[in-house]
């Protein structure tokens, strides 16, 4: 009798949160999975029709293409540049102020920057003024393909400190005795980096990849606040599409697309987790 | 030679930091320029002008006039500011109240299905808003909470990210301390209240800082779930202002920035710990 009582002691702690999670996340999510196989209005079962519709949808194709392109461009830039900054930062003593400035963009609400983006990147903005003075053509940063790179820049700007911090933690966790021993044996700096530091950082790389990808979806804030629901087609992202479908109440499409995004992210996480586990076993 | 190299690194990183801070620094600088000076920046932004934007980095005649006008004569700014404070405050409060006991259950008890449930929490913590958007809408619509403040607050309260962060803080507490309290006859709630929370506060504080910064900047949720503009938070109201009111936008931006910078400055250590904790493998 006492044992069962003991075993249920966790329930009062867990239950309130769990009911909320079931009510607000799990049950409605299973309902939206069900809906992805049904028509929007009547709810008749139509099999994979919704999936077929979105895969033939031009806006969906464009949004997926742009989102993938965005990820493919900005993840390597962010991950590599932040690694080098972290690598150098680890050798310095007075890094408090540098770390603070790198992290600071995380605290800046996107809304407060919208005006500054216009001042700097507008058609007759500050940067175009400088370009003009140097005798270059002015660039329409916000209303042409160039907006893609402005978005990449603002993503890197925002997430650099975050990623540097994760790299620094990873580098610091490699015991110095390892690198010291290698140095005693005559290894130079480059050998230390490639033979010891980098291989030991693989688990860190997996985490950083997942988190950077998830954070890359948040650039919607910048893209939406600066350019609205229908920005230049080079930065029309999946998030715009979800939002526009939502405005038009095309819930069947959202359901199918949400299931797809869920599946992709879920598989991605599982895959990286597997790689990670294998890494730990081999070490 | 080594010293020179180090100085070089400092200089390079210093330049990088200045470049990173530059756009944010423009906001307060422009917000205290008087209108004759600000015109050089704002007028070229209007379509009819053929000049380019100029920026005076040192305001010639600094003034707090825009702040005065915004705070004294713009009642809708108060409404929006209040919305932001109320929403974010309610989210943080209820989030901790719900998440701390959940995290305690995960950290302190062994029960059947715990791993599965915890993994489920982690998976949903990692899902972007777009995946859960429809789910949240279905519930909110059923409860007829659409277009109210609760439409943003409730889903955020049951987000699983705080559970995860607070769990980290709790799992670092040595078991002996807790067990000795239990042997002395403290019930589980008192153990949580008097030992768990004080010793595991790093997780709670990290959660407060990270969530505050995230919700103070929230765009997706109010955009989807709120139609009534008088219920908009600052993060959505500001970009709706007309560009011809540059002075008001700047003053409002500075005021929106202040709480975020304040939390960042006093909570930077917790922020860093939170970021690191969220990245650790369970």
């Amino acid at each position: 009798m006492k044992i069962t009582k003991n075993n249920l002691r966790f329930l009062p702690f867990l239950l309130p949160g769990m009911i909320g999670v079931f009510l607000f996340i799990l049950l409605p999510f299973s309902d939206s999975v069900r809906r992805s196989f049904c028509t929007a209005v009547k709810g008749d079962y139509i099999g994979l029709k919704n999936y077929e519709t979105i895969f033939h949808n031009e806006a969906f194709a464009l949004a997926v293409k742009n989102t993938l392109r965005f990820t493919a461009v900005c993840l390597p830039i962010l991950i590599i540049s932040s690694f080098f900054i972290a690598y150098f930062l680890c050798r310095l003593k007075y890094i408090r102020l540098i770390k603070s400035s790198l992290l600071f963009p995380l605290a800046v609400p996107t809304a407060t920057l919208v005006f500054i983006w216009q001042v700097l990147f507008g058609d007759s903005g500050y940067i175009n003024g400088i370009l003009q003075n140097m005798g270059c053509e002015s660039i329409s940063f916000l209303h042409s393909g160039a907006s893609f790179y402005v978005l990449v820049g603002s993503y890197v700007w925002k997430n650099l400190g975050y990623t540097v911090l994760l790299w620094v933690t990873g580098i610091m966790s490699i015991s110095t005795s390892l690198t010291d021993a290698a140095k005693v044996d005559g290894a130079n700096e480059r050998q230390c980096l490639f033979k010891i530091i980098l291989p030991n950082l693989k688990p860190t790389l997996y985490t950083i990849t997942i988190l950077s990808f998830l954070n890359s979806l948040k650039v919607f804030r910048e893209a939406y606040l600066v350019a609205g629901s229908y920005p230049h087609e080079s930065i029309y992202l999946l998030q715009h599409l979800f939002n526009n479908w939502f405005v038009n109440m095309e819930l069947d499409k959202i359901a199918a697309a949400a299931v797809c995004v869920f599946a992709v992210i879920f598989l991605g996480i599982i895959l990286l987790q597997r790689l990670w586990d294998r890494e730990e076993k081999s070490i | 030679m080594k010293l020179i190299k180090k100085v070089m690194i400092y200089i390079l990183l210093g330049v990088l930091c200045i470049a990173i801070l530059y756009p944010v620094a423009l906001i307060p600088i422009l917000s205290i320029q008087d209108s004759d000076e600000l015109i050089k920046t704002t007028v070229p932004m209007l379509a009819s002008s053929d000049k380019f934007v100029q920026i005076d980095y040192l305001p010639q005649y600094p003034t707090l006039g825009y702040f005065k006008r915004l705070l004294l004569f713009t009642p809708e700014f108060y409404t929006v500011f209040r919305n932001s404070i109320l929403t974010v405050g309610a989210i943080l409060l209820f989030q901790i109240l719900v998440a701390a006991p959940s995290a305690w259950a995960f950290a302190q008890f062994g029960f059947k299905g715990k791993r599965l449930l915890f993994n489920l929490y982690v998976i949903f913590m990692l899902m972007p808003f777009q995946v859960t958007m429809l789910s949240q809408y279905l519930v909110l619509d059923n409860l007829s909470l659409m277009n109210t403040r609760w439409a943003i607050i409730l889903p955020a309260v049951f987000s699983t990210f705080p559970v995860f962060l607070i769990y980290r803080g709790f799992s670092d507490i040595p078991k002996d301390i807790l067990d000795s309290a239990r042997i002395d006859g403290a019930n589980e709630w008192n153990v949580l209240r008097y030992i768990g929370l004080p010793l595991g506060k790093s997780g709670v504080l990290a959660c407060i800082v990270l969530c505050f910064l995230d919700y103070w900047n929230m765009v997706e949720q109010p955009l989807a779930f709120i139609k009534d503009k008088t219920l908009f938070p600052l993060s959505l109201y500001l970009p709706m202002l007309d560009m011809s009111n540059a002075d008001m936008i700047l003053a409002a931006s500075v005021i929106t920035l202040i709480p975020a910078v304040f939390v960042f400055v006093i909570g930077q250590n917790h922020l860093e710990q939170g970021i690191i904790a969220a990245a650790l493998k369970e």
Side-chain angles (χ1 to χ4, degrees):
Chain A
M1 192 60 208
K2 203 182 170 209
I3 296 165
T4 45
K5 208 178 155 198
N6 263 342
N7 277 347
L8 289 177
R9 273 190 320 173
F10 70 91
L11 262 186
F13 292 91
L14 189 63
L15 217 51
M18 210 170 81
I19 292 175
V21 170
F22 270 90
L23 216 62
F24 276 87
I25 305 176
L26 289 182
L27 290 181
F29 185 73
S30 356
D31 191 34
S32 49
V33 173
R34 185 189 61 81
R35 271 167 190 261
S36 72
F37 300 106
C38 300
T39 54
V41 187
K42 281 192 177 157
D44 301 329
Y45 178 78
I46 48 163
L48 294 173
K49 204 79 181 266
N50 285 327
Y51 293 90
E52 224 179 292
T53 318
I54 60 168
F55 284 122
H56 287 110
N57 184 311
E58 267 176 45
F60 185 73
L62 177 72
V64 169
K65 192 191 101 199
N66 283 335
T67 311
L68 289 181
R69 178 169 168 238
F70 185 77
T71 322
V73 171
C74 64
L75 286 199
I77 295 181
L78 178 74
I79 292 174
I80 293 169
S81 61
S82 61
F83 174 75
F84 280 108
I85 295 172
Y87 183 63
F88 289 124
L89 212 56
C90 281
R91 304 147 156 230
L92 302 178
K93 232 178 174 174
Y94 308 100
I95 59 171
R96 175 102 196 128
L97 202 62
I98 300 176
K99 228 164 48 172
S100 302
S101 341
L102 290 176
L103 277 173
F104 186 64
L106 270 187
V108 179
T110 310
T112 59
L113 277 173
V114 172
F115 183 75
I116 298 299
W117 280 172
Q118 303 279 2
V119 168
L120 294 176
F121 296 109
D123 283 347
S124 51
Y126 192 60
I127 293 178
N128 271 329
I130 294 173
L131 286 178
Q132 187 88 354
N133 272 342
M134 297 193 316
C136 303
E137 286 276 311
S138 64
I139 301 170
S140 176
F141 288 106
L142 300 178
H143 310 287
S144 73
S147 55
F148 180 78
Y149 295 97
V150 176
L151 203 60
V152 170
S154 73
Y155 166 76
V156 174
W157 178 79
K158 185 131 204 157
N159 290 286
L160 194 64
Y162 188 100
T163 323
V164 167
L165 184 67
L166 294 179
W167 278 127
V168 168
T169 319
I171 296 175
M172 296 286 199
S173 70
I174 299 173
S175 77
T176 44
S177 60
L178 224 57
T179 42
D180 286 346
K183 274 181 192 149
V184 171
D185 288 345
N188 63 26
E189 219 162 87
R190 180 169 300 172
Q191 282 170 326
C192 271
L193 174 64
F194 282 102
K195 295 270 157 68
I196 297 176
I197 299 180
L198 284 181
N200 272 302
L201 282 177
K202 270 191 198 160
T204 312
L205 176 65
Y206 298 145
T207 332
I208 289 182
T209 310
I210 295 182
L211 292 175
S212 306
F213 171 69
L214 295 173
N215 284 329
S216 80
L217 295 173
K218 289 194 180 166
V219 289
F220 173 67
R221 294 177 178 175
E222 279 82 6
Y224 177 80
L225 293 183
V226 175
S229 297
Y230 294 96
H232 183 266
E233 61 166 28
S234 68
I235 54 167
Y236 188 77
L237 302 171
L238 262 178
Q239 300 90 299
H240 289 94
L241 185 65
F242 270 88
N243 198 53
N244 293 337
W245 276 345
F246 187 76
V247 170
N248 300 327
M249 281 285 130
E250 296 177 81
L251 300 185
D252 48 346
K253 285 185 192 158
I254 298 187
V259 170
C260 293
V261 174
F262 178 88
V264 168
I265 294 178
F266 184 75
L267 290 177
I269 293 171
I270 298 283
L271 184 77
L272 286 171
Q273 193 93 22
R274 278 275 159 81
L275 285 172
W276 190 345
D277 283 343
R278 196 186 303 158
E279 211 61 50
E280 267 179 2
K281 268 180 210 132
S282 70
I283 287 173
Chain B
M1 188 56 205
K2 232 182 157 188
L3 185 76
I4 296 179
K5 215 170 153 191
K6 273 201 172 159
V7 171
M8 282 288 286
I9 299 178
Y10 272 118
I11 293 176
L12 277 177
L13 288 176
V15 171
L16 180 73
C17 289
I18 292 173
I20 284 177
L21 296 178
Y22 167 78
V24 189
L26 285 181
I27 303 170
I29 291 176
L30 290 173
S31 75
I32 55 167
Q33 295 186 349
D34 80 354
S35 48
D36 289 341
E37 209 174 4
L38 192 58
I39 277 177
K40 283 190 267 179
T41 307
T42 55
V43 166
M45 288 166 70
L46 303 175
S48 51
S49 164
D50 56 350
K51 281 198 192 119
F52 285 99
V53 167
Q54 289 180 327
I55 300 173
D56 279 341
Y57 291 102
L58 282 176
Q60 302 293 316
Y61 307 100
T63 161
L64 291 177
Y66 309 141
F67 292 97
K68 216 153 114 195
R69 226 177 82 208
L70 181 76
L71 295 179
L72 294 182
F73 305 110
T74 325
E76 72 269 18
F77 182 76
Y78 276 102
T79 321
V80 179
F81 195 81
R82 224 187 83 207
N83 289 341
S84 274
I85 295 277
L86 278 180
T87 320
V88 177
I91 289 177
L92 290 182
L93 180 72
F94 292 127
Q95 229 176 25
I96 304 286
L97 284 179
V98 170
S102 297
W104 187 252
F106 279 121
Q108 294 298 322
F109 302 99
F111 52 89
K112 228 181 167 183
K114 173 168 130 169
R115 261 202 89 75
L116 181 72
L117 193 65
F118 194 75
N119 284 340
L120 213 61
Y121 271 46
V122 173
I123 296 273
F124 275 96
M125 160 186 121
L126 293 173
M127 285 301 152
F129 174 69
Q130 283 74 26
V131 168
T132 48
M133 172 190 214
L134 177 63
S135 322
Q136 293 182 7
Y137 167 74
L138 295 174
V139 180
L140 295 170
D141 195 44
N142 258 321
L143 301 174
S144 15
L145 289 175
M146 280 292 281
N147 208 10
T148 66
R149 248 179 231 129
W150 292 105
I152 316 176
I153 297 173
L154 275 182
V157 166
F158 296 110
S159 131
T160 54
F161 181 57
V163 180
F164 182 79
L165 267 188
I166 298 174
Y167 165 83
R168 285 245 176 268
F170 284 161
S171 54
D172 290 343
I173 303 174
K175 245 196 147 65
D176 303 352
I177 304 179
L178 302 170
D179 283 342
S180 64
R182 283 179 192 131
I183 289 165
D184 287 346
N187 75 32
E188 207 52 45
W189 290 100
N190 283 335
V191 177
L192 169 60
R193 163 86 181 69
Y194 293 105
I195 304 176
L197 281 179
L199 289 181
K201 64 171 187 274
S202 64
V204 178
L205 291 172
C207 165
I208 292 179
V209 174
L210 273 172
C211 291
F212 176 85
L213 293 178
D214 197 33
Y215 290 120
W216 193 250
N217 185 19
M218 93 182 128
V219 172
E220 294 93 337
Q221 296 89 330
L223 183 67
F225 298 146
I226 290 193
K227 298 233 153 51
D228 183 356
K229 286 200 169 129
T230 59
L231 288 174
F232 273 4
L234 275 171
S235 44
L236 205 53
Y237 162 84
L238 249 152
M240 309 262 161
L241 290 175
D242 188 10
M243 274 297 157
S244 56
N245 289 323
D247 43 356
M248 291 295 103
I249 295 180
L250 284 164
S253 296
V254 172
I255 291 177
T256 310
L257 207 52
I258 288 173
V261 173
F262 179 73
V263 169
F264 176 77
V265 169
I266 58 168
Q268 200 197 328
N269 283 331
H270 303 299
L271 177 73
E272 287 178 20
Q273 270 161 21
I275 291 173
I276 293 167
L280 284 177
K281 199 186 164 201
E282 177 248 332

